Amino acid sequence: MTSTIQNPTQIPTASGTYKVIGTDVNNCIDSTTIAVIVNSLPTITANSNSPLCDGETLQLNEIGGNAATWNWSGNGLSSTTQNPTQIPTTSGTYKVIGTDGNNCIDSTTIAVLVNSLPTITANSNSPLCD
């Protein structure tokens, strides 16, 4: 990366050593180097047992495996477990944010379909003769 701006903000994409060279008004030059470590993001992937019927338990699963903490939200859910359960009454979208040991964050969303139960009615032609 090259910049002529004092205090340049950069977003490095790879670890490496970066050198800063400064020149003052007297044309005197000095430099320093700094090592920058760029950690990769955690892999956050989610699935569920959707579609399901109203009243059934929803099982949400974060299957990326390299996050240290999780934060699930959506459709009334707030959970910090990796694989939460809920009994939703409506379809909705859930989001999981995973943070790894380096405080790197990634997230994903998952749509869940909750089907309504069928309406069942019964009629009787009572009384009956034996």
Side-chain angles (χ1 to χ4, degrees):
M1 288 184 264
T2 303
S3 177
T4 58
I5 301 171
Q6 180 182 0
N7 303 322
T9 299
Q10 299 291 325
I11 301 175
T13 58
S15 297
T17 302
Y18 294 85
K19 185 174 187 175
V20 178
I21 302 170
T23 306
D24 68 11
V25 293
N26 298 315
N27 219 19
C28 295
I29 299 172
D30 194 13
S31 66
T32 189
T33 59
I34 186 170
V36 175
I37 298 172
V38 177
N39 295 305
S40 55
L41 293 175
T43 303
I44 303 300
T45 307
N47 68 16
S48 74
N49 60 332
S50 175
L52 53 130
C53 296
D54 189 12
E56 291 182 334
T57 300
L58 170 65
Q59 176 66 60
L60 296 165
N61 302 300
E62 189 284 312
I63 55 177
N66 63 345
T69 62
W70 301 268
N71 187 357
W72 284 91
S73 61
N75 207 13
L77 176 68
S78 178
S79 177
T80 56
T81 63
Q82 183 177 6
N83 301 312
T85 60
Q86 182 190 31
I87 300 176
T89 57
T90 61
S91 298
T93 302
Y94 294 83
K95 180 175 185 175
V96 59
I97 300 170
T99 305
D100 68 10
N102 297 310
N103 285 324
C104 295
I105 297 171
D106 194 20
S107 65
T108 192
T109 58
I110 184 170
V112 170
L113 177 63
V114 178
N115 293 306
S116 299
L117 295 176
T119 303
I120 303 204
T121 58
N123 292 320
S124 170
N125 57 356
S126 183
L128 299 173
C129 298
D130 184 19

